[in-house]
Amino acid sequence: MDQVLGRQPDPDLWVVVATAAAALAVVLPNAVWRVARNAVTIAHEGGHALVALLTGRTLTGIRLHSDTSGLTVSRGKPRGPGMVFTALAGYTAPPLLGLGGAALLSEGRITLLLWLATALLLAMLVMIRNVYGVLTVLVTGALFLLVSWKAGPQVQAAFAYAVVWFLLLGGVRPAFELQRERRRNPTGASDADQLASLTGTPPALWLFLFHVVSLCSLTGGARWLLGL
């Protein structure tokens, strides 16, 4: 517990820059992104689930699919603030988690970040309702547990910075993908369309909000990570 709650030394600047470059190399190429996007989906659906619980809704289950889509089901009032915040939480969760992680890393709380991520993944695992989802969360959680339990300080630092950079950078791309998908296939089933239906506002307003949150989180998180 002393190690978890204590501060760890900051990595060298070249490690911070190298992990940012590695995260960018994962986010930009389509072939790599199609696999890595599963981690963003975990954060996306986890955001829906957490806010559903915080707003008093009953969480029924979470499904993660091999095409990197997901579904979080909760029971409660079909309209109202609870449903709005639950729908809003998906696309905003990955960049905001990245921003929170950057804040912890700026304070030297590297081990605490890894253990918090592991705890969140284990809590999410209880609500997964399909085999692929269970395997995805188990593998991700096992990786965090292995690094936080067995790896040395330098490896922990590099891993933590890479994860946070990935959430910050990977949190930007889904909003652009959603915007492009809505132009090609406007089914009305996206989070932006659901928010528009719940609030009587244009879907473009919510798309704009997703962009603002992700880009502002990336800007603020990068400043923290780079010590600016």
Side-chain angles (χ1 to χ4, degrees):
M1 289 305 298
D2 288 340
Q3 183 180 2
V4 171
L5 298 177
R7 295 170 61 98
Q8 288 76 45
D10 295 330
D12 295 333
L13 181 59
W14 74 265
V15 174
V16 179
V17 174
T19 52
L24 198 60
V26 171
V27 171
L28 289 181
N30 290 331
V32 183
W33 172 247
R34 279 195 293 269
V35 177
R37 200 183 192 282
N38 284 284
V40 175
T41 303
I42 291 174
H44 180 114
E45 299 304 328
H48 282 313
L50 178 60
V51 174
L53 292 173
L54 291 176
T55 55
R57 299 181 63 81
T58 301
L59 185 61
T60 303
I62 303 169
R63 291 179 177 271
L64 305 173
H65 303 131
S66 58
D67 62 356
T68 72
S69 65
L71 177 66
T72 298
V73 180
S74 61
R75 294 197 308 269
K77 294 181 179 180
R79 306 188 73 85
M83 191 63 203
V84 171
F85 284 117
T86 298
L88 179 61
Y91 280 92
T92 58
L96 289 177
L97 284 172
L99 184 63
L104 285 175
L105 293 181
S106 70
E107 295 295 324
R109 310 293 183 177
I110 296 171
T111 305
L112 177 60
L113 169 67
L114 296 175
W115 280 103
L116 283 175
T118 305
L120 288 173
L121 287 165
L122 289 175
M124 186 176 178
L125 181 63
V126 178
M127 299 307 301
I128 300 293
R129 294 293 182 264
N130 66 322
V131 174
Y132 182 82
V134 169
L135 290 175
T136 302
V137 176
L138 270 178
V139 170
T140 307
L143 180 60
F144 273 89
L145 184 62
L146 181 65
V147 172
S148 57
W149 190 266
K150 294 293 185 181
Q154 293 179 341
V155 174
Q156 285 192 6
F159 180 77
Y161 272 80
V163 167
V164 171
W165 276 120
F166 174 74
L167 287 172
L168 291 171
L169 293 165
V172 173
R173 182 164 177 172
F176 286 98
E177 291 178 334
L178 175 60
Q179 186 173 354
R180 184 170 60 251
E181 180 62 25
R182 288 190 72 258
R183 284 199 301 266
R184 293 177 178 173
N185 185 26
T187 61
S190 71
D191 288 2
D193 291 298
Q194 290 181 31
L195 285 162
S197 175
L198 289 167
T199 60
T201 55
L205 174 65
W206 300 102
L207 276 169
F208 176 72
L209 181 60
F210 295 159
H211 286 305
V212 169
V213 171
S214 61
L215 292 172
C216 288
S217 296
L218 174 58
T219 302
R223 288 179 61 84
W224 270 329
L225 294 176
L226 294 170
L228 302 177

